[in-house]
């Protein structure tokens, strides 16, 4: 089976035009930037604060935009048209993920500029941020596939936003409630731990375990994508 | 002539409900085949199986000589066009942007957009947003999208269900032109006039079973009562047999210059359907 970049780009172009006319979804892309501009003026300096904005970007842009794009295709019955075209499942999902990916990368970069975040090792941080983006796009894809409309998607994503944006704060109470130690292994927590280590001089060799945990989350979410897609997309 | 579709013993169960029971038929290359039946008779289920959107419970369904499930491959997808019962168009985008997406997916030059819009009489709507179009216009754009890539086999599920007679005629003209180009058309409808105009052969589907399959002409002849109606100068109508007895009566009417018009009493496809199934088409 060959992969057609042309077909995936065609879906990306369509999604770009569609989202640019969709105020509801389009505006959520800019929310993290508003917060970043505000934080930038307040002069935030800690990794936890920087990464709260980044994790929020992952939830609002990577996961929510992706979730809405897929849910709307289902709601308006347009996904069937794509599925009946020569575009394969991989090409459709890649095309649909490209917009969320590009938007997330741009928002993260611009937000980092606004809050004046300067990582000590930009390569390691870039790898971690890209892996996290891929994970959140996978999460958005699963949620988009299980929901039937954009409105439903907006509701379903809320608990995930709470967990993945602010869930890392739970680790503060881990000493009192040991069960909360699990929260340390969430991708958002791992990203913060990794970024904190990098900021005090850790190299790729020192943070490989954190990257591995995020990679494991990526693997799990994409296995889920395949299972849910197969179950949901056949009549 | 080569068979494009070969269906044998096709059955489909939804939970414990039987949607199709032992359906068999063939569609020849270049033929317009009508699958006729009331709502819920199994027409759309058949199209979904033949376009790999649904797996059958039993039987075989071959399209282009391969099992229908193989049609998911890009090479086969390019050979078929499907008009489904829902528009599936992007409401915020223009007509042009919707068709451009499908040109890119099917690897078709963008110049084809004007050609298909011309075929469905919607060239002027090219820059309009889909959300601003009427239901009939939407149906025509969906149809244009279905034959944008000049498919060898076109599946049409109720293609004119939302259209007025004028727009239906545009569609018929377009479909006739596709047929002249050699496109095989598999059409589902409950509109018997449409079937008479477009189809080379028709199958009557009722409760998931094919009850009749033949050319419209052969069916009409088979179910005809072999009489003629003669309209006379005094306004009365006489029904006479087509045999020797009728000939004598006809000779007498004509000798006396009483005949205004003569027509045969062949049943319509709708009449035949009701007679065979005891159900009305709706």
């Amino acid at each position: 089976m060959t992969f057609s970049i042309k077909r995936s780009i065609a879906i990306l172009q369509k999604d770009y035009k569609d989202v640019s006319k969709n105020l509801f979804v389009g505006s959520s892309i800019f929310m993290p930037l508003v917060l970043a501009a505000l934080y930038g003026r307040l002069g935030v300096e800690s990794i936890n604060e920087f990464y709260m904005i980044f994790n929020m970007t992952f939830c609002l842009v990577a996961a929510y935009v992706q979730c809405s794009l897929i849910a709307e295709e289902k709601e308006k019955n347009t996904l069937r048209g794509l599925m009946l075209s020569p575009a394969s499942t991989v090409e459709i999902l890649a095309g649909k993920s490209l917009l969320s990916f590009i938007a997330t990368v741009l928002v993260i970069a611009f937000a980092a500029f606004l809050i004046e975040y300067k990582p000590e090792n930009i390569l390691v941080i870039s790898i971690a941020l890209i892996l996290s983006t891929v994970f959140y796009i996978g999460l958005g894809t699963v949620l988009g596939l299980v929901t039937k409309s954009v409105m439903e998607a907006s509701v379903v994503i809320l608990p995930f936003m709470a967990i993945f944006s602010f869930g890392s704060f739970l680790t503060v109470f881990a000493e009192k409630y040991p069960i909360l130690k699990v929260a340390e292994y969430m991708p958002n927590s791992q990203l913060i731990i990794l970024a904190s280590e990098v900021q005090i001089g850790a190299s790729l060799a020192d943070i490989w375990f954190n990257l591995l945990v995020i990679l494991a989350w990526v693997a799990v979410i994409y296995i889920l994508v395949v299972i849910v897609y197969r179950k949901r997309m056949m009549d | 002539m080569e068979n494009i579709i070969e269906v044998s013993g096709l059955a489909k169960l939804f939970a414990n409900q039987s949607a199709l029971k032992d359906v068999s038929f063939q569609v020849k290359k270049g033929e317009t085949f009508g699958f006729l039946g009331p709502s819920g008779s199994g027409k759309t289920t058949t199209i979904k199986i033949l376009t790999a959107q649904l797996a059958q419970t039993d039987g075989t369904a071959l399209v282009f000589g391969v099992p229908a499930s193989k049609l998911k491959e890009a090479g086969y997808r390019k050979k078929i066009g499907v008009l489904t019962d829902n528009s599936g168009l992007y409401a915020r985008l223009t007509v042009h942007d919707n068709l451009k997406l499908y040109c890119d997916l099917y690897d078709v030059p963008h110049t084809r957009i004007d050609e298909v819009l011309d075929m469905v009489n919607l060239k002027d709507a090219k820059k309009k947003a889909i959300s601003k179009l009427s239901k009939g216009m939407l149906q025509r754009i969906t149809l244009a999208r279905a034959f944008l890539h000049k498919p060898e086999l076109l599946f049409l599920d109720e293609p004119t269900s939302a259209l007025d007679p004028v727009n239906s005629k545009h569609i018929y003209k377009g479909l006739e032109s596709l047929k002249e180009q050699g496109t095989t058309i598999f059409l589902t409808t409950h509109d018997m006039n449409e079937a008479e105009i477009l189809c080379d052969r028709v199958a009557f589907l009722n409760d998931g079973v094919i009850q009749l399959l033949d050319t419209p002409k052969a069916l009409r002849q088979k179910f005809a009562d072999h009489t003629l109606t003669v309209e006379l100068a005094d306004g009365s109508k006489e029904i006479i047999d087509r045999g020797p007895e009728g000939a004598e009566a006809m000779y007498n009417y004509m000798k006396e210059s009483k005949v205004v018009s003569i027509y045969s009493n062949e049943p319509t496809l709708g009449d035949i359907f009701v007679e065979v199934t005891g159900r009305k088409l709706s």
Side-chain angles (χ1 to χ4, degrees):
Chain A
M1 196 175 72
T2 53
F3 180 85
S4 165
I5 294 174
K6 191 187 169 189
R7 285 198 276 264
S8 291
I9 296 289
I11 295 170
L12 164 69
Q13 286 173 338
K14 182 271 296 172
D15 279 343
Y16 170 69
K17 281 184 185 170
D18 205 22
V19 168
S20 63
K21 290 173 186 170
N22 185 345
L23 204 64
F24 186 54
V25 175
S27 60
S28 62
I29 293 174
F30 295 100
M31 293 272 281
L33 291 177
V34 174
L35 199 70
L38 200 71
Y39 268 46
R41 287 199 150 213
L42 292 170
V44 292
E45 282 175 353
S46 80
I47 288 291
N48 271 323
E49 287 166 324
F50 289 149
Y51 276 80
M52 198 185 83
I53 292 176
F54 293 160
N55 280 325
M56 188 176 276
T57 304
F58 288 135
C59 290
L60 271 173
V61 186
Y64 176 63
V65 169
Q66 180 72 0
C67 177
S68 302
L69 287 177
I70 292 181
E72 189 173 29
E73 291 265 13
K74 285 175 70 190
E75 184 180 0
K76 305 277 167 67
N77 209 38
T78 47
L79 196 56
R80 190 179 295 276
L82 293 181
M83 289 170 71
L84 287 169
S85 80
S88 66
T89 304
V90 177
E91 286 162 1
I92 294 169
L93 290 179
K96 294 220 68 67
S97 304
L98 272 173
L99 183 72
S100 318
F101 184 81
I102 293 167
T104 308
V105 170
L106 289 177
V107 171
I108 292 274
F110 200 46
F113 168 76
L114 288 173
I115 54 176
E116 296 178 21
Y117 170 54
K118 294 181 186 78
E120 288 300 315
N121 188 335
I122 197 144
L123 177 73
V124 174
I125 291 298
S126 299
I127 293 170
L129 289 175
I130 286 172
L131 268 182
S132 298
T133 307
V134 173
F135 164 75
Y136 285 95
I137 287 173
L139 175 70
T141 306
V142 171
L143 296 178
L145 288 171
V146 297
T147 51
K148 287 177 187 150
S149 66
V150 179
M151 207 48 79
E152 195 184 328
S154 308
V155 175
V156 164
I157 201 139
L158 287 176
F160 294 93
M161 276 188 183
I163 292 168
F164 290 114
S165 292
F166 308 107
S168 55
F169 293 119
L170 292 173
T171 54
V172 175
F173 306 102
E175 274 192 24
K176 199 175 176 189
Y177 305 103
I179 187 106
L180 294 178
K181 233 177 153 33
V182 175
E184 268 182 26
Y185 292 93
M186 290 197 310
N188 50 332
S189 301
Q190 287 296 312
L191 190 61
I192 293 170
I193 295 167
L194 181 150
S196 304
E197 294 291 318
V198 165
Q199 215 59 12
I200 53 169
S203 65
L204 190 61
D206 304 316
I207 49 83
W208 66 269
F209 179 74
N210 307 100
L211 279 180
L212 201 69
V213 173
I214 299 173
L215 197 64
W217 278 93
V218 172
V220 167
I221 205 75
Y222 280 91
I223 289 169
L224 254 178
V225 167
V226 173
I227 295 170
V228 175
Y229 187 88
R230 284 190 180 158
K231 273 199 165 183
R232 296 276 169 154
M233 301 323 294
M234 279 295 279
D235 282 289
Chain B
M1 204 185 281
E2 183 192 342
N3 284 330
I4 294 287
I5 300 175
E6 287 177 74
V7 170
S8 175
L10 197 68
K12 178 67 190 173
L13 278 170
F14 288 110
N16 285 325
Q17 192 91 23
S18 188
L20 292 174
K21 306 162 197 163
D22 196 23
V23 169
S24 302
F25 63 90
Q26 288 91 36
V27 180
K28 293 179 176 68
K29 190 175 182 179
E31 184 180 33
T32 299
F33 186 86
F35 218 47
L36 316 181
S39 303
S41 58
K43 305 190 295 288
T44 303
T45 300
T46 308
I47 282 197
K48 283 187 172 174
I49 291 171
L50 293 175
T51 53
Q53 298 178 67
L54 196 64
Q56 68 264 41
T57 311
D58 203 5
T60 56
L62 302 179
V63 181
F64 297 116
V66 297
S69 57
K70 295 256 180 207
L71 295 183
K72 285 176 185 165
E73 291 166 22
Y76 289 115
R77 284 286 188 223
K78 284 186 178 179
K79 290 170 125 185
I80 63 166
V82 186
L83 173 116
T84 52
D85 45 359
N86 294 306
S87 84
L89 297 165
Y90 296 95
R92 282 184 289 269
L93 301 186
T94 62
V95 168
H96 178 268
D97 286 340
N98 268 277
L99 295 178
K100 183 177 160 283
L101 166 68
Y102 281 86
C103 279
D104 293 337
L105 293 178
Y106 283 95
D107 220 0
V108 169
H110 295 170
T111 48
R112 178 77 178 141
I113 295 173
D114 283 335
E115 286 174 33
V116 291
L117 287 178
D118 202 25
M119 278 175 89
V120 295
N121 199 31
L122 276 176
K123 221 171 173 177
D124 296 339
K126 193 175 161 184
K127 288 181 181 170
K128 279 189 182 171
I130 292 294
S131 56
K132 306 275 181 219
L133 303 182
S134 68
K135 205 176 171 190
M137 288 165 104
L138 278 179
Q139 184 85 337
R140 284 188 282 161
I141 297 294
T142 314
L143 186 63
R145 193 187 69 185
F147 57 69
L148 185 72
H149 56 293
K150 297 183 181 170
E152 285 179 42
L153 172 62
L154 189 56
F155 290 96
L156 303 174
D157 196 1
E158 309 273 357
T160 58
S161 59
L163 303 184
D164 56 56
V166 176
N167 283 318
S168 293
K169 273 193 177 174
H170 275 293
I171 300 298
Y172 298 157
K173 223 172 125 186
L175 293 178
E176 274 162 18
S177 142
L178 284 174
K179 188 174 157 63
E180 280 165 20
Q181 292 164 33
T183 310
T184 307
I185 299 172
F186 184 91
L187 169 103
T188 74
T189 184
H190 61 253
D191 182 340
M192 292 293 140
N193 286 332
E194 186 168 286
E196 296 247 22
I197 294 166
L198 296 173
C199 299
D200 298 311
R201 285 190 307 144
V202 292
F204 285 170
L205 189 70
N206 189 36
D207 289 332
V209 178
I210 289 185
Q211 302 205 323
L212 275 178
L213 197 164
D214 214 329
T215 64
K217 191 178 173 185
L219 288 177
R220 279 195 307 272
Q221 282 174 352
K222 190 176 170 188
F223 285 86
D225 62 0
H226 303 286
T227 61
L228 296 169
T229 296
V230 183
E231 232 179 277
L232 302 174
D234 61 3
S236 64
K237 286 179 183 174
E238 292 293 329
I239 293 170
I240 59 172
D241 193 77
R242 289 192 199 191
E245 287 171 26
E248 199 183 327
M250 182 72 84
Y251 175 77
N252 290 330
Y253 290 136
M254 292 181 88
K255 202 167 76 177
E256 292 164 24
S257 300
K258 281 184 173 175
V259 178
V260 175
S261 65
I262 308 166
Y263 45 86
S264 64
N265 293 323
E266 282 175 356
T268 63
L269 288 181
D271 296 333
I272 299 168
F273 190 89
V274 173
E275 189 176 332
V276 172
T277 66
R279 285 179 73 175
K280 282 195 173 177
L281 285 148
S282 58

PDB file of all heavy atoms in Angstrom, chain A residues 146-164:
ATOM      1  N   VAL A 146     -15.306   8.647  18.903  1.00  0.00           N
ATOM      2  CA  VAL A 146     -16.369   8.108  19.772  1.00  0.00           C
ATOM      3  C   VAL A 146     -17.541   9.083  19.949  1.00  0.00           C
ATOM      4  O   VAL A 146     -18.604   8.681  20.408  1.00  0.00           O
ATOM      5  CB  VAL A 146     -15.854   7.668  21.169  1.00  0.00           C
ATOM      6  CG1 VAL A 146     -14.864   6.534  21.067  1.00  0.00           C
ATOM      7  CG2 VAL A 146     -15.257   8.830  21.944  1.00  0.00           C
ATOM      8  N   THR A 147     -17.340  10.348  19.564  1.00  0.00           N
ATOM      9  CA  THR A 147     -18.447  11.303  19.704  1.00  0.00           C
ATOM     10  C   THR A 147     -19.183  11.460  18.374  1.00  0.00           C
ATOM     11  O   THR A 147     -18.640  11.129  17.324  1.00  0.00           O
ATOM     12  CB  THR A 147     -17.932  12.675  20.186  1.00  0.00           C
ATOM     13  OG1 THR A 147     -16.862  13.072  19.343  1.00  0.00           O
ATOM     14  CG2 THR A 147     -17.444  12.620  21.612  1.00  0.00           C
ATOM     15  N   LYS A 148     -20.399  11.970  18.471  1.00  0.00           N
ATOM     16  CA  LYS A 148     -21.227  12.048  17.266  1.00  0.00           C
ATOM     17  C   LYS A 148     -21.355  13.469  16.721  1.00  0.00           C
ATOM     18  O   LYS A 148     -21.841  13.667  15.618  1.00  0.00           O
ATOM     19  CB  LYS A 148     -22.619  11.496  17.567  1.00  0.00           C
ATOM     20  CG  LYS A 148     -22.628   9.999  17.696  1.00  0.00           C
ATOM     21  CD  LYS A 148     -24.002   9.504  18.068  1.00  0.00           C
ATOM     22  CE  LYS A 148     -23.955   8.020  18.360  1.00  0.00           C
ATOM     23  NZ  LYS A 148     -24.965   7.631  19.333  1.00  0.00           N
ATOM     24  N   SER A 149     -21.001  14.476  17.534  1.00  0.00           N
ATOM     25  CA  SER A 149     -21.156  15.852  17.077  1.00  0.00           C
ATOM     26  C   SER A 149     -20.107  16.733  17.749  1.00  0.00           C
ATOM     27  O   SER A 149     -19.491  16.335  18.742  1.00  0.00           O
ATOM     28  CB  SER A 149     -22.551  16.371  17.426  1.00  0.00           C
ATOM     29  OG  SER A 149     -22.678  16.443  18.836  1.00  0.00           O
ATOM     30  N   VAL A 150     -19.932  17.924  17.197  1.00  0.00           N
ATOM     31  CA  VAL A 150     -18.949  18.867  17.760  1.00  0.00           C
ATOM     32  C   VAL A 150     -19.352  19.235  19.180  1.00  0.00           C
ATOM     33  O   VAL A 150     -18.506  19.347  20.077  1.00  0.00           O
ATOM     34  CB  VAL A 150     -18.852  20.133  16.873  1.00  0.00           C
ATOM     35  CG1 VAL A 150     -17.863  21.133  17.459  1.00  0.00           C
ATOM     36  CG2 VAL A 150     -18.416  19.755  15.470  1.00  0.00           C
ATOM     37  N   MET A 151     -20.653  19.400  19.392  1.00  0.00           N
ATOM     38  CA  MET A 151     -21.144  19.779  20.721  1.00  0.00           C
ATOM     39  C   MET A 151     -20.796  18.681  21.739  1.00  0.00           C
ATOM     40  O   MET A 151     -20.313  18.982  22.840  1.00  0.00           O
ATOM     41  CB  MET A 151     -22.663  19.994  20.643  1.00  0.00           C
ATOM     42  CG  MET A 151     -23.210  20.950  21.671  1.00  0.00           C
ATOM     43  SD  MET A 151     -22.286  22.488  21.789  1.00  0.00           S
ATOM     44  CE  MET A 151     -22.909  23.371  20.382  1.00  0.00           C
ATOM     45  N   GLU A 152     -21.037  17.437  21.348  1.00  0.00           N
ATOM     46  CA  GLU A 152     -20.718  16.312  22.234  1.00  0.00           C
ATOM     47  C   GLU A 152     -19.208  16.253  22.476  1.00  0.00           C
ATOM     48  O   GLU A 152     -18.762  16.022  23.606  1.00  0.00           O
ATOM     49  CB  GLU A 152     -21.208  15.012  21.587  1.00  0.00           C
ATOM     50  CG  GLU A 152     -21.254  13.837  22.553  1.00  0.00           C
ATOM     51  CD  GLU A 152     -21.657  12.536  21.876  1.00  0.00           C
ATOM     52  OE1 GLU A 152     -22.435  12.556  20.911  1.00  0.00           O
ATOM     53  OE2 GLU A 152     -21.174  11.478  22.325  1.00  0.00           O
ATOM     54  N   ALA A 153     -18.438  16.502  21.419  1.00  0.00           N
ATOM     55  CA  ALA A 153     -16.973  16.482  21.535  1.00  0.00           C
ATOM     56  C   ALA A 153     -16.503  17.537  22.528  1.00  0.00           C
ATOM     57  O   ALA A 153     -15.597  17.293  23.326  1.00  0.00           O
ATOM     58  CB  ALA A 153     -16.344  16.717  20.170  1.00  0.00           C
ATOM     59  N   SER A 154     -17.154  18.710  22.495  1.00  0.00           N
ATOM     60  CA  SER A 154     -16.768  19.807  23.399  1.00  0.00           C
ATOM     61  C   SER A 154     -16.983  19.431  24.856  1.00  0.00           C
ATOM     62  O   SER A 154     -16.278  19.916  25.735  1.00  0.00           O
ATOM     63  CB  SER A 154     -17.589  21.061  23.085  1.00  0.00           C
ATOM     64  OG  SER A 154     -17.514  21.357  21.732  1.00  0.00           O
ATOM     65  N   VAL A 155     -17.964  18.587  25.094  1.00  0.00           N
ATOM     66  CA  VAL A 155     -18.254  18.162  26.473  1.00  0.00           C
ATOM     67  C   VAL A 155     -17.321  17.015  26.874  1.00  0.00           C
ATOM     68  O   VAL A 155     -16.733  17.041  27.958  1.00  0.00           O
ATOM     69  CB  VAL A 155     -19.741  17.744  26.610  1.00  0.00           C
ATOM     70  CG1 VAL A 155     -20.013  17.193  27.998  1.00  0.00           C
ATOM     71  CG2 VAL A 155     -20.651  18.919  26.302  1.00  0.00           C
ATOM     72  N   VAL A 156     -17.179  16.049  25.978  1.00  0.00           N
ATOM     73  CA  VAL A 156     -16.370  14.856  26.286  1.00  0.00           C
ATOM     74  C   VAL A 156     -14.919  15.220  26.578  1.00  0.00           C
ATOM     75  O   VAL A 156     -14.270  14.615  27.426  1.00  0.00           O
ATOM     76  CB  VAL A 156     -16.475  13.847  25.100  1.00  0.00           C
ATOM     77  CG1 VAL A 156     -15.387  12.792  25.162  1.00  0.00           C
ATOM     78  CG2 VAL A 156     -17.842  13.177  25.111  1.00  0.00           C
ATOM     79  N   ILE A 157     -14.434  16.252  25.912  1.00  0.00           N
ATOM     80  CA  ILE A 157     -13.015  16.596  26.064  1.00  0.00           C
ATOM     81  C   ILE A 157     -12.717  17.293  27.401  1.00  0.00           C
ATOM     82  O   ILE A 157     -11.561  17.311  27.852  1.00  0.00           O
ATOM     83  CB  ILE A 157     -12.522  17.444  24.862  1.00  0.00           C
ATOM     84  CG1 ILE A 157     -10.986  17.355  24.766  1.00  0.00           C
ATOM     85  CG2 ILE A 157     -12.959  18.903  24.977  1.00  0.00           C
ATOM     86  CD1 ILE A 157     -10.454  17.227  23.415  1.00  0.00           C
ATOM     87  N   LEU A 158     -13.736  17.827  28.063  1.00  0.00           N
ATOM     88  CA  LEU A 158     -13.515  18.623  29.290  1.00  0.00           C
ATOM     89  C   LEU A 158     -12.736  17.877  30.391  1.00  0.00           C
ATOM     90  O   LEU A 158     -11.745  18.411  30.894  1.00  0.00           O
ATOM     91  CB  LEU A 158     -14.846  19.148  29.829  1.00  0.00           C
ATOM     92  CG  LEU A 158     -15.467  20.290  29.012  1.00  0.00           C
ATOM     93  CD1 LEU A 158     -16.830  20.661  29.576  1.00  0.00           C
ATOM     94  CD2 LEU A 158     -14.550  21.502  28.985  1.00  0.00           C
ATOM     95  N   PRO A 159     -13.148  16.662  30.767  1.00  0.00           N
ATOM     96  CA  PRO A 159     -12.359  15.983  31.809  1.00  0.00           C
ATOM     97  C   PRO A 159     -10.916  15.723  31.399  1.00  0.00           C
ATOM     98  O   PRO A 159     -10.012  15.797  32.223  1.00  0.00           O
ATOM     99  CB  PRO A 159     -13.111  14.663  32.030  1.00  0.00           C
ATOM    100  CG  PRO A 159     -14.085  14.545  30.930  1.00  0.00           C
ATOM    101  CD  PRO A 159     -14.343  15.898  30.405  1.00  0.00           C
ATOM    102  N   PHE A 160     -10.712  15.446  30.102  1.00  0.00           N
ATOM    103  CA  PHE A 160      -9.339  15.215  29.630  1.00  0.00           C
ATOM    104  C   PHE A 160      -8.515  16.499  29.709  1.00  0.00           C
ATOM    105  O   PHE A 160      -7.327  16.470  30.007  1.00  0.00           O
ATOM    106  CB  PHE A 160      -9.354  14.657  28.200  1.00  0.00           C
ATOM    107  CG  PHE A 160      -9.956  13.282  28.135  1.00  0.00           C
ATOM    108  CD1 PHE A 160     -11.312  13.112  27.875  1.00  0.00           C
ATOM    109  CD2 PHE A 160      -9.166  12.168  28.380  1.00  0.00           C
ATOM    110  CE1 PHE A 160     -11.873  11.855  27.852  1.00  0.00           C
ATOM    111  CE2 PHE A 160      -9.722  10.898  28.355  1.00  0.00           C
ATOM    112  CZ  PHE A 160     -11.087  10.743  28.093  1.00  0.00           C
ATOM    113  N   MET A 161      -9.194  17.625  29.432  1.00  0.00           N
ATOM    114  CA  MET A 161      -8.515  18.920  29.540  1.00  0.00           C
ATOM    115  C   MET A 161      -8.092  19.149  30.987  1.00  0.00           C
ATOM    116  O   MET A 161      -6.975  19.602  31.249  1.00  0.00           O
ATOM    117  CB  MET A 161      -9.446  20.045  29.104  1.00  0.00           C
ATOM    118  CG  MET A 161      -9.470  20.272  27.634  1.00  0.00           C
ATOM    119  SD  MET A 161     -10.398  21.760  27.294  1.00  0.00           S
ATOM    120  CE  MET A 161     -10.356  21.780  25.540  1.00  0.00           C
ATOM    121  N   ALA A 162      -8.994  18.838  31.917  1.00  0.00           N
ATOM    122  CA  ALA A 162      -8.701  19.048  33.343  1.00  0.00           C
ATOM    123  C   ALA A 162      -7.530  18.153  33.765  1.00  0.00           C
ATOM    124  O   ALA A 162      -6.590  18.618  34.415  1.00  0.00           O
ATOM    125  CB  ALA A 162      -9.941  18.742  34.171  1.00  0.00           C
ATOM    126  N   ILE A 163      -7.574  16.883  33.356  1.00  0.00           N
ATOM    127  CA  ILE A 163      -6.519  15.939  33.763  1.00  0.00           C
ATOM    128  C   ILE A 163      -5.169  16.319  33.153  1.00  0.00           C
ATOM    129  O   ILE A 163      -4.158  16.379  33.843  1.00  0.00           O
ATOM    130  CB  ILE A 163      -6.908  14.488  33.364  1.00  0.00           C
ATOM    131  CG1 ILE A 163      -8.091  14.014  34.199  1.00  0.00           C
ATOM    132  CG2 ILE A 163      -5.719  13.531  33.519  1.00  0.00           C
ATOM    133  CD1 ILE A 163      -8.732  12.736  33.700  1.00  0.00           C
ATOM    134  N   PHE A 164      -5.187  16.598  31.839  1.00  0.00           N
ATOM    135  CA  PHE A 164      -3.891  16.807  31.171  1.00  0.00           C
ATOM    136  C   PHE A 164      -3.360  18.241  31.273  1.00  0.00           C
ATOM    137  O   PHE A 164      -2.182  18.474  30.994  1.00  0.00           O
ATOM    138  CB  PHE A 164      -3.977  16.350  29.717  1.00  0.00           C
ATOM    139  CG  PHE A 164      -4.091  14.862  29.588  1.00  0.00           C
ATOM    140  CD1 PHE A 164      -5.250  14.262  29.084  1.00  0.00           C
ATOM    141  CD2 PHE A 164      -3.048  14.036  29.983  1.00  0.00           C
ATOM    142  CE1 PHE A 164      -5.351  12.885  28.977  1.00  0.00           C
ATOM    143  CE2 PHE A 164      -3.145  12.652  29.884  1.00  0.00           C
ATOM    144  CZ  PHE A 164      -4.295  12.074  29.386  1.00  0.00           C
TER     145      PHE A 164
END
